């Protein structure tokens, strides 16, 4: 069962887009007809979230509602519908771990267990150090390299217990791990190496 | 027209009709939760599944347009099985708390589970639970019962025009709530309780008060505003338990305002249940009917006929006004008025009532649906007639009608072209001045069905004759009254006044109107005033020699400064006739009996007339109505809106620059009943003062 999505208790009293983001908003709004500003709600919410430590306070929702000329409730519905929007503060590393069938069959439970062992958090929780937040999500569309997690904007695939532990270690030391397949696969070829299209410029190991 | 076959019955429906509507045309009942005639189509409950020939799976009939030659089956095995499946899913998370649910007995889910539910559940996992939401003093929420039909969300967004309700989260976590759990700030919020097909949203004042099968249903007419909404009064024993709307497409569709619905607890408080007489010590003391009548007889005998006047209030029924008018005729006084706010309409038309032109909502309430330009003058329809305001909003949503506003402030739930609040611009428009004015004049002129709506706020001013005159000129210039369209409208906000105007309860030759009567009472020119429920008039500065008879249902302002108080039945306690703002004559029916010694208004007047030796010529309600009909034949035609051509409106008079505004400052308290209501007081606290949410949210969670 996924967590109940509730807004943060401690809300900032003010939110305003930065000057740089205001420019971006102009570009985004220009893509849609003037009478349909509400079309820009998703990119604007994303922009607000990126500006605000990866979560959306209600003031940001109200600001977006104002810009998009939508009732606040409509924007809040959107923000609460998508798991990509965080309505309460999250750690510096926001881990979205896929638990949908392909990932689960390929061992997502072990990945979750690793996170639990290393950080002592389960879905919806933030680690004691405040740097890591875990959310179990549905399919993120990288099933060929299951199991996988998304950390902030990057995908880390072909995980198992050890590679997940390594990933966490690197993050804890402030490094930025190389995204992609942890098993070193290129593209989506079979784990045992390419079986077709072998000729050409493939430099797969 | 489209022809299709439904269960071997061939039906013809209009283009754009849905299969569900076609099924209803064929007389087939389709179960539904999310679909509602007056709301947009959501198609999310899936209960209305039917079988269509050559379609691989059942289709949702509410969302599927009917097509030529379709063959639909509504009672096949496939349909039954499909609906059983839907019902099983619906019941997975629905609690089995029908015995303690207020919706029990009138619940769509309960009813339809009888037809499509299985005897036992196959679901063994834990059911979900949802926190209750705070939605204000009128709506009680038990959100675990919610089946996510989104009717309430669509109502708030489309009809009420307050898009504060929504569905947050997704999947199993989806919850219906207001934004940050604020109270639902709409005058129509109570309607979501009717719309809710389950017990998720129930009436908070009515919570755990009664079961639907214990209630006696009495069809009646609402008196809280001038629309005369069709309602059903549900009573148990001698108490009105609740008021629900009755369907009437020409007046209120399926909605009523929160005041109509919830002011009824005011019927239990502050009631006058016995006559009172002011003693030597200046205090009102309980008295018998005989004592009260004797005191009145003494006072009337002492005064000359010309020194006696009468006022009727906002809730006065036509029978009472007629009886009082007859009594005044017998006494021989010309001083009388049914417009306690001092409005000039009625007499302004020259003939003074009795079918005189122009004081009605002449386009008809359903005329609002087809109007193509609307000018509001000194009115706030949202507080004066919320249901009418919802119609204007519908017209804006459907046809984008342009609405202009002269005078008044506040959100009306649709865009307005603001024209300021200076009534003098009306004259300037007619003289061809002001650019802003020309926009409204041109819009009205080019409209096929233009509408001007005059509120009481424009008619109860000292310079109202001038305003009426200017509106009359404007009406001529923009061709407001056409052969098949009368766009001149007066919006009355009370149930009693139009009846009084139709009966001609207006100053006779040489008589005083309300403001003059109040002044004459202060100077001692008027010695006796018969106050039939006029509680909005300030009579506190009356002359010490004067004698005021108050007849009404509540110990409100009027009774406070009376010498004799006669207890009368309140609106649900009598069979009475009311005339709405369209001039539609409607009958309200008795649901309960008046408390204590209180009697019906006309009966009190009839009894008093005998004591005074001026016996009126009828002995029962039937006789009274006969006499009323022979005096004003319009009362014989029930439920028919009237349209009167405005003639010679007002007279030339300088218009002041006093701002035009609505006369209703507080929607929730406009009459003795609503002022006595605890629920209305809570609404005032939650919505009028701006601390909404905090107090309202006490029982949430």
């Amino acid at each position: 069962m996924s967590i109940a999505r509730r807004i943060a208790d401690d809300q900032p009293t003010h939110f305003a887009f930065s000057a740089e983001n205001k420019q971006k908003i102009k570009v985004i709004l220009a893509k849609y007809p003037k009478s349909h500003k509400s079309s820009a709600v998703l990119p604007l919410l994303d922009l607000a979230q990126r500006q605000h430590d990866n979560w959306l306070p209600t003031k940001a929702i109200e600001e977006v509602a104002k810009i998009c000329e939508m009732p606040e409730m409509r924007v809040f519905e959107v923000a609460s519908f998508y798991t990509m929007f965080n309505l309460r503060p999250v750690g510096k590393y926001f881990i979205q771990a896929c638990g949908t069938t392909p990932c689960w069959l390929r061992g997502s439970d072990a990945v979750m267990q690793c996170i639990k062992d290393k950080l002592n958090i389960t879905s919806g929780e933030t680690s004691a150090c405040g740097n890591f937040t875990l959310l179990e999500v549905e399919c993120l569309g990288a099933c060929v390299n299951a199991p996988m997690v998304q950390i902030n904007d990057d995908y880390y695939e072909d995980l198992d217990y050890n590679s997940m532990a390594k990933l966490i270690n690197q993050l804890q030391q402030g490094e930025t791990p190389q995204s992609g397949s942890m098993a070193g696969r290129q593209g989506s070829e079979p784990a045992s190496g390419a079986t077709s299209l072998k000729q050409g410029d493939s430099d797969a190991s | 027209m489209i022809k299709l076959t439904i269960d071997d019955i061939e039906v013809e429906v209009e283009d754009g009709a849905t299969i569900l509507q076609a099924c209803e045309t064929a007389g087939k009942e389709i179960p539904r939760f999310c679909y509602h005639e007056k709301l947009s189509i959501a198609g999310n409950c899936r209960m209305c599944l039917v079988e269509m020939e050559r379609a691989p799976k059942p289709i949702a009939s509410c969302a599927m347009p009917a097509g030529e030659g379709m063959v639909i089956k509504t009672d096949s095995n496939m349909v039954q099985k499909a609906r059983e499946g839907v019902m099983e899913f619906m019941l997975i998370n629905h609690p089995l708390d029908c015995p303690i649910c207020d919706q029990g007995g009138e619940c769509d889910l309960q009813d339809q589970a009888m037809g499509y539910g299985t005897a036992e559940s196959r679901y063994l996992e834990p059911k979900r639970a949802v926190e209750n939401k705070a939605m204000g003093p009128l709506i009680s929420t038990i959100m675990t019962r919610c089946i996510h039909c989104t009717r309430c969300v669509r109502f708030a967004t489309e009809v009420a025009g307050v898009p504060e309700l929504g569905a947050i989260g997704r999947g199993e976590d989806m919850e219906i709530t207001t934004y940050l759990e604020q109270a639902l700030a709409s005058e129509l919020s109570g309607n979501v309780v009717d719309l809710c097909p389950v017990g998720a949203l129930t009436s908070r004042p009515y919570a755990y008060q009664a079961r639907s099968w214990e209630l006696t249903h009495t069809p009646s007419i609402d008196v809280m505003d001038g629309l005369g909404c069709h309602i059903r009064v549900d009573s148990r024993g001698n108490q009105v338990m609740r008021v629900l709307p009755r369907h009437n497409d020409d007046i209120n569709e399926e909605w009523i305002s929160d005041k109509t619905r919830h002011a009824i607890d005011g019927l239990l408080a502050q009631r006058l249940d016995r006559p009172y007489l002011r003693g030597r010590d200046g205090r009102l003391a309980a008295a018998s009917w005989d004592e009260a009548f004797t005191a009145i007889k003494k006072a009337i005998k002492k005064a000359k006929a010309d020194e006696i006047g009468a006022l009727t209030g906002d809730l006065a029924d036509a029978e009472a006004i007629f009886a009082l008018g007859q009594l005044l005729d017998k006494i021989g006084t010309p001083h009388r008025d049914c417009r306690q706010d001092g409005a000039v309409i009625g007499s302004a038309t020259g003939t003074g009532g009795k079918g005189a032109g122009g004081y009605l909502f002449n386009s008809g309430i359903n005329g609002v649906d087809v109007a193509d330009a609307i000018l509001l003058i000194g009115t706030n329809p949202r507080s004066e007639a919320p249901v009418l305001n919802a119609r204007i909003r519908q017209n804006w949503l459907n046809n984008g009608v342009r609405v202009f506003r002269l005078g008044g402030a506040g959100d009306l739930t649709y865009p307005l072209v603001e024209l300021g609040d200076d009534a003098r611009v009306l004259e300037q428009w007619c003289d061809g001045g002001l650019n802003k004015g020309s926009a409204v004049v041109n819009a009205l002129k080019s409209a096929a069905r233009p509408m001007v709506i005059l509120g009481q706020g424009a008619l109860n001013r000292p310079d109202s004759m001038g305003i009426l005159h200017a509106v009359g000129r404007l009406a001529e210039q923009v061709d407001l009254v056409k052969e098949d369209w009368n766009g001149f409208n007066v919006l009355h906000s009370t149930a009693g006044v139009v009846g009084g105007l139709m009966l001609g309860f207006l100053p006779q030759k040489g008589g005083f109107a309300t403001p003059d009567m109040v002044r004459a009472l202060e100077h001692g020119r008027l010695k006796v005033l018969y106050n039939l429920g006029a509680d909005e008039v300030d009579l506190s500065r009356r002359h010490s020699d004067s004698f005021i008879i108050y007849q009404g249902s509540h110990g409100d302002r009027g009774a406070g400064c009376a010498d004799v108080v006669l207890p009368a039945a309140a609106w649900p306690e009598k069979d009475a006739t009311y005339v709405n703002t369209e001039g539609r004559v409607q009958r309200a029916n008795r649901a309960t009996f008046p408390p204590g010694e209180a009697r019906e208004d006309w009966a009190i007047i009839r009894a008093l007339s005998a004591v005074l030796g001026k016996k009126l010529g009828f002995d029962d309600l039937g006789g009274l109505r006969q006499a009323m009909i022979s005096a004003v034949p319009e009362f014989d035609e029930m439920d028919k809106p009237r349209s009167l051509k405005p003639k010679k409106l007002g007279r030339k008079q300088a218009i002041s620059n006093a701002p035009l505004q609505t006369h209703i400052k507080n929607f929730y308290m406009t009459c003795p009943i609503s002022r006595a209501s605890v629920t209305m007081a809570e609404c005032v606290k939650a919505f009028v003062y701006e601390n909404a949410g905090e107090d309202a949210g006490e029982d949430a969670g």
Side-chain angles (χ1 to χ4, degrees), chain B residues 669-681:
Chain B
M669 288 191 176
T670 53
C671 63
I673 298 175
S674 51
R675 274 194 290 271
S677 159
V678 177
T679 311
M680 290 296 105

Side-chain angles (χ1 to χ4, degrees), chain B residues 491-571:
Chain B
L491 179 58
H492 291 271
S493 59
T494 62
V497 172
V498 184
L501 292 173
M502 256 170 80
L503 289 164
F505 198 87
L506 293 160
Q508 309 294 301
K509 203 162 187 269
F512 295 146
T514 304
D516 302 327
M517 230 182 294
V518 174
R519 233 168 288 135
L521 208 60
E522 285 166 15
H523 297 151
R525 159 78 179 78
L526 208 62
K527 295 277 191 290
V528 178
L529 180 74
Y530 201 109
N531 181 347
L532 184 71
D535 284 281
E536 321 299 321
V537 192
D538 184 11
L539 299 172
S540 57
R541 290 186 302 158
R542 69 204 181 87
H543 197 273
S544 53
D545 268 357
S546 61
F547 187 87
I548 297 181
I549 304 148
Y550 178 80
Q551 177 179 330
S553 57
H554 283 68
D556 203 65
R557 293 170 197 167
C561 48
D563 296 286
V564 180
V565 175
L566 305 177
W571 131 84

